[in-house]
Coordinates of all heavy atoms in Angstrom, one line a residue:
V94 N -13.9 -8.4 -6.7 CA -12.8 -7.5 -6.3 C -12.5 -7.6 -4.9 O -12.5 -6.7 -4.1 CB -13.0 -6.0 -6.7 CG1 -12.9 -5.8 -8.2 CG2 -14.4 -5.5 -6.3
A95 N -12.3 -8.9 -4.4 CA -12.1 -9.3 -3.0 C -10.9 -8.7 -2.5 O -9.9 -8.4 -3.1 CB -12.1 -10.8 -2.9
P96 N -10.9 -8.5 -1.1 CA -9.7 -8.0 -0.4 C -8.7 -9.1 -0.2 O -8.9 -10.3 -0.6 CB -10.3 -7.5 0.9 CG -11.4 -8.4 1.2 CD -12.0 -8.8 -0.2
G97 N -7.7 -8.8 0.6 CA -6.7 -9.9 1.1 C -5.4 -9.8 0.4 O -5.2 -9.3 -0.7
P98 N -4.3 -10.2 1.1 CA -2.9 -10.1 0.7 C -2.5 -11.3 -0.1 O -1.4 -11.8 0.2 CB -2.2 -10.0 2.0 CG -3.0 -10.8 3.0 CD -4.4 -10.7 2.5
L99 N -3.3 -11.8 -1.1 CA -2.9 -13.0 -1.8 C -1.5 -12.8 -2.5 O -0.7 -13.7 -2.5 CB -3.9 -13.3 -2.8 CG -3.7 -14.6 -3.6 CD1 -3.8 -15.8 -2.7 CD2 -4.6 -14.7 -4.8
Y100 N -1.4 -11.7 -3.2 CA -0.1 -11.5 -4.0 C 1.1 -11.3 -3.1 O 2.1 -11.9 -3.4 CB -0.3 -10.4 -5.0 CG -1.5 -10.6 -5.9 CD1 -2.3 -9.5 -6.3 CD2 -1.9 -11.8 -6.4 CE1 -3.4 -9.7 -7.1 CE2 -3.0 -12.0 -7.2 CZ -3.7 -10.9 -7.5 OH -4.9 -11.1 -8.3
P101 N 1.0 -10.4 -2.2 CA 2.3 -10.2 -1.3 C 2.7 -11.5 -0.6 O 3.9 -11.8 -0.6 CB 1.9 -9.1 -0.3 CG 0.4 -8.9 -0.4 CD 0.0 -9.4 -1.8
V102 N 1.7 -12.2 -0.1 CA 2.1 -13.4 0.7 C 2.6 -14.5 -0.3 O 3.5 -15.2 -0.1 CB 0.8 -14.0 1.4 CG1 1.1 -15.3 2.0 CG2 0.5 -13.0 2.6
S103 N 1.9 -14.6 -1.5 CA 2.3 -15.6 -2.5 C 3.7 -15.4 -3.0 O 4.5 -16.3 -3.2 CB 1.3 -15.7 -3.6 OG 0.0 -16.1 -3.2
T104 N 4.1 -14.1 -3.3 CA 5.4 -13.8 -3.8 C 6.4 -14.1 -2.8 O 7.6 -14.6 -3.1 CB 5.5 -12.4 -4.3 OG1 5.0 -11.5 -3.4 CG2 4.7 -12.2 -5.6
V105 N 6.2 -13.8 -1.5 CA 7.1 -14.1 -0.5 C 7.3 -15.6 -0.3 O 8.5 -16.1 -0.2 CB 6.7 -13.4 0.9 CG1 7.6 -13.9 2.0 CG2 6.8 -11.9 0.7
L106 N 6.2 -16.3 -0.3 CA 6.3 -17.7 -0.2 C 7.1 -18.4 -1.3 O 7.8 -19.3 -1.2 CB 4.9 -18.3 0.0 CG 4.3 -18.3 1.4 CD1 2.8 -18.7 1.3 CD2 5.0 -19.2 2.3
A107 N 6.8 -17.9 -2.5 CA 7.6 -18.3 -3.7 C 9.0 -18.2 -3.5 O 9.8 -19.1 -3.8 CB 7.1 -17.7 -5.0
G108 N 9.5 -17.0 -3.0 CA 10.9 -16.9 -2.8 C 11.5 -17.8 -1.7 O 12.5 -18.4 -1.8

Side-chain angles (χ1 to χ4, degrees):
V94 285
L99 183 71
Y100 305 141
V102 170
S103 295
T104 50
V105 172
L106 279 169

